[in-house]
Amino acid sequence: MVSRPGGVCGIVSIDNDRMELADALRTTGAVREFTDEPVEDRTIYEILDTARFAPSGGNRQGWRTILVKDPQVRLGLRDLYLPGWDEYLAMTRAGLVPFAPVTDREAEAEALRAATPRGRGAFADNLHEVPVLIVVLADLRVLAATDRDLDRYTLVGGASVYPFVWSVLLAAHEHGLGGVPTTMLTRAEPEVRELLGVPDHYAVAALLALGHPVRRPTRLRRAAVEEFTTLDRFDGPNFTH
Ligand SMILES: Cc1cc2nc3c(=O)[nH]c(=O)nc-3n(C[C@H](O)[C@H](O)[C@H](O)COP(=O)(O)O)c2cc1C
């Protein structure tokens, strides 16, 4: 426990801090609708300044961010986002888990063949108008991707960047903002690199959309601990208390 001056008051305030953190973790849901209120550069800076304390393998901090303000570049990002989003919707409508590393590729291909782009939603269509757009890149030279030599889809490299992405969302929440991490741009990584002048050894990790929320979700749908935790073995009893 952090020691603070102030006797009983200090202890109470520590408890409050812990409550607030748990509250934030439980209520930072995806926000895709924003008011017109702009977000000041100082606020964006402060959010990134807090998020930079995220962990990464070997503390290499391989994230790199580009704050995109130029309207033409924003439109370019929107245009590169939409095809991936259309694919996502087509696969969802076909009852598939879009882009799952372990999946039925034939069923995916069929879903894409049969799809007609429709009902993208206002967020995707108007992505270029989101108050804050931040592209998050990952420096492939410094990621500790310990699973890179396994004969399966690799996963661990992203774990050195996505905690940072999540920290941006939590820090934004603290500033009264909301947002959503998006990954559709990775479908068009070469074009994104070209649009933003990104060197080849950087991967596109996410596009973060932030702004003042029209409304904030408070009750998020998530599985209970018992549903994803077992004792001792994968097929062990569900963990509960
Ligand atoms: C790695 C990752 C990628 C995501 N990509 C997208 C995306 O491309 N577009 C989008 O609208 N939402 C995206 N999301 C947001 C998720 O859809 C959202 O976090 C999830 O559905 C939970 O929503 P909720 O917080 O409203 O319950 C992404 C979230 C994560 C963590």
Side-chain angles (χ1 to χ4, degrees):
M1 186 185 278
V2 183
S3 108
R4 288 186 189 176
V8 172
C9 284
I11 290 166
V12 168
S13 99
I14 288 166
D15 285 343
N16 282 345
D17 286 351
R18 294 177 71 172
M19 282 278 289
E20 282 169 24
L21 176 58
D23 263 3
L25 290 168
R26 284 168 169 267
T27 60
T28 304
V31 171
R32 297 187 185 83
E33 269 184 276
F34 307 100
T35 68
D36 291 338
E37 191 179 339
V39 180
E40 283 181 24
D41 278 357
R42 205 179 69 165
T43 305
I44 300 169
Y45 186 94
E46 283 173 13
I47 289 167
L48 294 171
D49 191 42
T50 298
R52 73 192 165 94
F53 291 94
S56 57
N59 196 21
R60 299 285 175 187
Q61 302 163 54
W63 51 79
R64 176 79 156 71
T65 50
I66 302 177
L67 174 64
V68 181
K69 294 190 176 194
D70 183 305
Q72 284 312 312
V73 181
R74 283 171 150 256
L75 264 176
L77 289 178
R78 195 279 310 261
D79 290 347
L80 293 172
Y81 180 95
L82 289 180
W85 184 240
D86 287 339
E87 289 181 311
Y88 179 92
L89 292 177
M91 291 188 230
T92 305
R93 285 170 185 147
L96 302 170
V97 177
F99 308 118
V102 177
T103 192
D104 180 347
R105 292 280 185 151
E106 247 318 298
E108 268 192 4
E110 181 48 39
L112 295 179
R113 268 195 300 273
T116 45
R118 65 189 159 96
R120 287 171 173 148
F123 172 74
D125 274 334
N126 304 316
L127 190 65
H128 55 297
E129 287 171 0
V130 166
V132 181
L133 287 178
I134 300 172
V135 175
V136 183
L137 308 168
D139 185 343
L140 298 174
R141 300 167 306 180
V142 304
L143 297 183
T146 50
D147 63 347
R148 67 167 188 198
D149 301 320
L150 294 177
D151 188 18
R152 64 148 172 79
Y153 168 81
T154 74
L155 180 69
V156 176
S160 282
V161 173
Y162 292 110
F164 169 80
V165 170
W166 178 229
S167 292
V168 170
L169 289 160
L170 286 170
H173 190 162
E174 205 204 16
H175 281 270
L177 303 177
V180 65
T182 76
T183 46
M184 293 307 145
L185 280 184
T186 62
R187 303 289 298 161
E189 185 173 272
E191 292 85 353
V192 175
R193 281 210 190 105
E194 199 180 325
L195 180 70
L196 302 175
V198 176
D200 284 351
H201 55 270
Y202 281 89
V204 174
L207 172 68
L208 272 162
L210 301 175
H212 291 274
V214 169
R215 76 189 74 79
R216 182 178 287 291
T218 48
R219 292 175 66 83
L220 305 181
R221 286 191 306 123
R222 303 289 188 264
V225 174
E226 291 81 348
E227 291 174 56
F228 60 85
T229 312
T230 50
L231 270 177
D232 296 330
R233 288 177 49 85
F234 190 87
D235 60 358
N238 295 110
F239 170 69
T240 190
H241 70 96

